[in-house]
Amino acid sequence: MEAMGVAAALGLLLLTAGGSTGDEAREAAAVRELLVRLLGPGPAAAFSVSVERSLATESGLDTYRLSGGGAGTRVQVLGSTGVAAAAGLHRYLRDFCGCHVAWSGSQLRLPQPLPAVPEELTEATPNRYRYYQNVCTQSYSFLWWDWARWEQEIDWMALNGINLALAWSGQEAIWQRVYLALGLTQAEIDEYFTGPAFLAWGRMGNLHTWSGPLPPSWHLKQLYLQHRILDRMRSFGMIPVLPAFAGHVPKALTRVFPQVSVTQMGNWGHFNCSYSCSFLLAPEDPLFPLVGSLFLRELTKEFGTDHIYGADTFNEMQPPSSEPSYLAAATAAVYQAMTAVDPDAVWLLQGWLFQHQPEFWGPAQVAAVLGAVPRGRLLVLDLFAESQPVYVRTASFQGQPFIWCMLHNFGGNHGLFGALESVNQGPTTARHFPNSTMVGTGMAPEGIGQNEVVYALMAELGWQKDPVADLGAWVTSFAARRYGVSHGDAEAAWRLLLRSVYNCSGEECRGHNHSPLVRRPSLQMVTTVWYNRSDVFEAWRLLLTATSTLASSPAFRYDLVDVTRQAVQELVSLYYEEMRTAYLKKELVPLTRAGGILAYELLPALDQVLASDCHFLLGSWLEQARQAAVSETEAHFYEQNSRYQLTLWGPEGNILDYANKQLAGLVADYYAPRWRLFTETLVESLVQGVPFQQHQFDRNAFQLEQTFVLGTRRYPSQPEGDTVDLVKKLFLKYYPRAVSF
């Protein structure tokens, strides 16, 4: 069977698990309501939206049709699903009106009259699914969201054609019911759950207990949110993916059932067994199907189901045995616990385990997992396919359907980064792989709200059979839509960024910011990058020259801050190199000069620029946490969860700075003090003629880091200062130095 035929056949198999055809009228109404939220009731009245399943000529492949527009004529948007209609609406706004929808703020200036669609335009997606989210996104980005923010995100998902997404809120409340029914005490359950900022890793069995317990109010709010999230997702015709039992249980279960067969896993993420080393039920133990079916029955009773469930048994954890028979049994036990409750269940598996530990997951081990579930009932996310695709070395997951995913971002880090050429070519290459079982594309970042150009491209590719022919032309039009007007300098800046920061290639490309700015200083820091820093500095200059025309655009001001932030990040690396060279040469004056500029001038100036934009405020992040609380005690607890995640990530800096972000307040009170300490320590080393002791410095730095985490200082949650003025001031001072390095 040809590659496309295999994928189509598997897509039809999966359709049986995708729920009913749904209510066409309800989905059309959901898109019309989205239109009003997006444009307002007046402009929304110029559109006619309808949903007809029959529009899709090939079952399961979402299709939209655009027509009409022009003076006195409504724009007609027809979709085979609500998601398809929303994607068609977005296509019209983007390509005919020059509008732009983004996390950082949308540009929605509509031309009048609305442009006519020259001839009826019909578009069908090449694959069944457009997937969104990573288990970690729930903790790195969605953590403190209220319904208003969730509503915005689901609208964004619909407009970008997402029809498959995780919906994992509220599951701890369900688990609490199950554990109580099994005989655990409330104290044992409270001891088991992590704090809110670390739930993603509790859900995957990596952690327990750390930074908990969860307050009762947390469960109530998350149940409320989950009901609203599911209702809105379903109203568009999206398929929400609910959680299922993966095999991990609290240690306290061994008190209730002393004869239970469990294996204690190894530690994870440099945490000791106080917080990791989870207990995994043996697949043959009679409690396995009991616990799994109890949870799924209670979950679906509360939330209903669309028959696709997510579970990750061995995420970044080595299984107790490499024997294929064990791996097959463990996999089958998870799936059978699903089908005991829902015979139509499909298991959505993050394929990260195969990529993360390739030395363990040899052909026999991979085959054991993939073969333990009936073909078409395991849907694999090839999670990091833009850099390290797994389908290539597993013969297209040995016949199981998979979704080609772009991971892109780790930890929700800031930092301009992308592998746009790989992203552009990847889905088409996978689609034409011999006997391909690809059934969709996906966006699976650990954190969102960054590098919006990357996600705009990926969303478009979900509706295209072929790559974008000319990325340079594409990014030029992206800039014009984003700012609402074509500007030569701004567009030239974006082309420079495309050929530099967004042009990473090869297996080593990871969107994880290791810049010295956001890392604990040492004399061994790596500063090499895959691009010419001069391109970033020139893009910075070009954007600044466009301010007289574009400064009124919120998206432009956001980008001006973001590119300035990137330029400063580059400068930090260059000043650090000067510091290290001077220290190794025992040259006190150059060391003091470079370190003084970096720690006492450059970083404070960056903090001021970041403080001028609402998207770069530590105060906003912490205030979201506090607003989720119902008491001052809870507010302090939630804030401390946030501070830990951004910095130490554990009681002893266990995954130090993994989730680093460049936020006003965090730069001034966390990163800058470390750099001041580093500078002072190196100077003292030269003056006293004693070697620099990294271990002693690390201990001293940890004291600074812990002081920040345990601090209670309140930070502004509203921007301060004028972005353009602050950037100009910083540019005039540092640009001449940047180009002279």
Side-chain angles (χ1 to χ4, degrees):
M1 187 181 292
E2 292 184 359
M4 301 298 283
V6 173
L10 287 168
L12 288 171
L13 262 178
L14 291 167
L15 276 176
T16 63
S20 66
T21 56
D23 185 345
E24 295 172 352
R26 184 192 187 202
E27 292 175 23
V31 179
R32 287 193 286 269
E33 290 166 5
L34 182 160
L35 250 175
V36 172
R37 288 191 296 273
L38 190 68
L39 302 177
F47 294 82
S48 173
V49 177
S50 53
V51 171
E52 295 178 10
R53 294 286 184 263
S54 60
L55 180 63
T57 56
E58 187 174 344
S59 184
L61 297 184
D62 281 356
T63 305
Y64 59 76
R65 178 176 295 158
L66 302 175
S67 60
T73 305
R74 299 174 83 190
V75 177
Q76 305 290 322
V77 181
L78 175 63
S80 59
T81 63
V83 167
L89 168 65
H90 189 201
R91 170 78 177 274
Y92 176 80
L93 293 173
R94 184 188 72 215
D95 291 358
F96 292 88
C97 300
C99 294
H100 181 70
V101 177
W103 288 312
S104 61
S106 299
Q107 187 282 112
L108 297 168
R109 291 197 293 274
L110 296 176
Q112 294 299 329
L114 289 177
V117 180
E119 54 185 66
E120 193 173 78
L121 171 63
T122 301
E123 192 77 61
T125 181
N127 289 112
R128 169 76 173 106
Y129 296 113
R130 279 90 51 212
Y131 169 79
Y132 178 53
Q133 292 183 37
N134 182 305
V135 173
C136 300
T137 326
Q138 306 274 325
S139 289
Y140 283 134
S141 293
F142 305 163
L143 175 56
W144 307 116
W145 283 5
D146 57 12
W147 168 242
R149 181 61 185 86
W150 264 111
E151 183 174 56
Q152 292 174 13
E153 193 69 11
I154 297 170
D155 284 353
W156 181 91
M157 289 160 59
L159 290 165
N160 283 285
I162 303 301
N163 67 349
L164 181 68
L166 300 184
W168 280 28
S169 299
Q171 64 177 282
E172 284 71 32
I174 306 301
W175 274 117
Q176 181 169 256
R177 296 176 196 171
V178 171
Y179 292 147
L180 287 171
L182 288 169
L184 274 70
T185 67
Q186 187 62 55
E188 288 171 331
I189 296 168
D190 289 343
E191 191 271 341
Y192 179 64
F193 289 140
T194 69
F198 302 94
L199 282 174
W201 301 276
R203 293 166 177 173
M204 293 185 288
N206 304 122
L207 288 178
H208 57 83
T209 308
W210 164 241
S211 212
L214 293 173
S217 63
W218 175 266
H219 297 304
L220 291 173
K221 286 194 170 195
Q222 294 303 306
L223 283 173
Y224 162 79
L225 274 177
Q226 177 75 338
H227 276 289
R228 296 204 70 172
I229 291 165
L230 290 171
D231 181 69
R232 183 59 56 81
M233 288 176 68
R234 288 166 176 158
S235 76
F236 285 116
M238 294 178 191
I239 301 173
V241 179
L242 297 178
F245 177 54
H248 313 109
V249 294
K251 181 182 180 181
L253 198 70
T254 62
R255 176 191 62 78
V256 182
F257 301 97
Q259 303 305 313
V260 68
S261 177
V262 294
T263 300
Q264 188 168 17
M265 306 289 281
N267 71 315
W268 176 86
H270 309 291
F271 282 85
N272 62 32
C273 290
S274 297
Y275 301 117
S276 66
C277 311
S278 64
F279 285 79
L280 185 67
L281 262 179
E284 70 277 6
D285 194 285
L287 268 182
F288 200 112
L290 175 65
V291 175
S293 59
L294 273 175
F295 174 71
L296 201 59
R297 191 169 288 113
E298 188 68 26
L299 184 83
T300 54
K301 177 184 172 183
E302 179 77 34
F303 299 129
T305 186
D306 296 83
H307 308 290
I308 301 185
Y309 306 96
D312 297 286
T313 305
F314 301 119
N315 177 69
E316 297 186 359
M317 294 186 293
Q318 185 159 309
S321 169
S322 62
E323 284 296 320
S325 58
Y326 169 79
L327 296 170
T331 304
V334 173
Y335 176 68
Q336 290 162 8
M338 295 179 193
T339 55
V341 177
D342 182 355
D344 294 326
V346 168
W347 179 359
L348 183 80
L349 173 70
Q350 292 191 128
W352 181 252
L353 74 167
F354 303 132
Q355 185 277 330
H356 182 71
Q357 292 181 305
E359 68 285 349
F360 177 89
W361 293 100
Q365 288 70 33
V366 171
V369 169
L370 297 176
V373 178
R375 187 164 295 183
R377 295 296 176 182
L378 184 68
L379 178 55
V380 185
L381 300 176
D382 200 347
L383 210 66
F384 197 21
E386 81 273 27
S387 184
Q388 298 177 21
V390 175
Y391 77 87
V392 176
R393 61 180 176 87
T394 58
S396 200
F397 291 97
Q398 300 195 3
Q400 292 287 15
F402 76 94
I403 294 176
W404 189 101
C405 291
M406 175 193 77
L407 199 162
H408 179 257
N409 179 271
F410 291 83
N413 297 167
H414 291 124
L416 301 184
F417 168 82
L420 286 193
E421 187 56 43
S422 176
V423 168
N424 189 34
Q425 299 292 334
T428 302
T429 301
R431 202 175 287 124
H432 292 95
F433 188 74
N435 296 313
S436 177
T437 52
M438 175 180 164
V439 294
T441 55
M443 297 183 279
E446 288 191 351
I448 64 169
Q450 38 70 34
N451 291 291
E452 291 175 315
V453 65
V454 178
Y455 299 88
L457 176 64
M458 189 67 236
E460 287 190 34
L461 291 172
W463 289 85
Q464 296 182 190
K465 291 183 175 67
D466 300 308
V468 170
D470 184 343
L471 279 179
W474 181 89
V475 83
T476 298
S477 62
F478 169 86
R481 291 193 305 270
R482 187 164 170 81
Y483 305 143
V485 64
S486 178
H487 191 286
D489 286 339
E491 291 164 2
W494 274 100
R495 287 192 293 273
L496 282 171
L497 295 175
L498 173 64
R499 83 177 191 188
S500 56
V501 292
Y502 292 121
N503 191 36
C504 196
S505 61
E507 289 194 356
E508 299 307 310
C509 285
R510 284 176 174 260
H512 197 192
N513 195 345
H514 289 278
S515 163
L517 194 163
V518 293
R519 294 287 168 165
R520 184 188 283 172
S522 78
L523 290 174
Q524 283 76 45
M525 304 182 90
V526 176
T527 61
T528 54
V529 292
W530 65 90
Y531 50 88
N532 290 324
R533 288 190 167 98
S534 59
D535 285 343
V536 174
F537 295 137
E538 179 61 8
W540 185 28
R541 186 190 70 79
L542 287 167
L543 278 185
L544 200 52
T545 63
T547 53
S548 59
T549 303
L550 301 179
S552 61
S553 161
F556 174 80
R557 296 174 80 92
Y558 171 91
D559 290 343
L560 186 61
V561 171
D562 204 19
V563 173
T564 300
R565 179 207 52 69
Q566 186 71 27
V568 171
Q569 179 175 298
E570 310 297 351
L571 283 164
V572 167
S573 292
L574 296 173
Y575 278 115
Y576 163 72
E577 289 286 1
E578 281 197 348
M579 287 178 65
R580 180 167 61 184
T581 299
Y583 175 78
L584 294 176
K585 290 183 176 180
K586 296 182 170 52
E587 295 175 347
L588 184 60
V589 173
L591 168 64
T592 305
R593 180 174 60 244
I597 292 172
L598 190 164
Y600 292 91
E601 298 179 17
L602 183 58
L603 292 183
L606 171 61
D607 198 81
Q608 283 189 309
V609 170
L610 295 171
S612 70
D613 190 285
C614 62
H615 300 92
F616 294 91
L617 302 179
L618 174 63
S620 293
W621 180 245
L622 298 182
E623 190 59 29
Q624 285 181 46
R626 297 184 65 85
Q627 288 178 354
V630 297
S631 68
E632 179 57 33
T633 300
E634 256 185 40
H636 176 70
F637 169 65
Y638 288 166
E639 178 177 342
Q640 193 168 101
N641 257 248
S642 286
R643 287 176 180 247
Y644 263 116
Q645 188 200 86
L646 289 169
T647 56
L648 294 174
W649 220 106
E652 299 170 337
N654 306 62
I655 315 179
L656 181 66
D657 296 319
Y658 182 93
N660 65 77
K661 293 174 179 64
Q662 293 170 46
L663 301 171
L666 194 63
V667 171
D669 288 354
Y670 181 75
Y671 299 128
R674 287 199 306 204
W675 277 101
R676 291 197 292 269
L677 177 64
F678 185 63
T679 300
E680 292 161 6
T681 304
L682 292 183
V683 168
E684 184 178 320
S685 169
L686 288 189
V687 169
Q688 297 184 0
V690 296
F692 171 72
Q693 299 290 337
Q694 184 69 50
H695 292 307
Q696 182 58 49
F697 172 78
D698 289 345
R699 284 193 290 271
N700 295 339
F702 178 73
Q703 296 303 315
L704 289 176
E705 294 155 354
Q706 195 172 51
T707 297
F708 171 81
V709 168
L710 301 178
T712 58
R713 178 181 173 183
R714 302 292 289 272
Y715 292 88
S717 57
Q718 296 297 319
E720 300 175 350
D722 180 77
T723 294
V724 174
D725 288 346
L726 290 165
V727 170
K728 282 181 178 177
K729 180 180 177 182
L730 195 151
F731 177 86
L732 290 171
K733 183 171 183 178
Y734 291 102
Y735 179 77
R737 186 72 181 96
V739 296
S740 69
F741 269 106

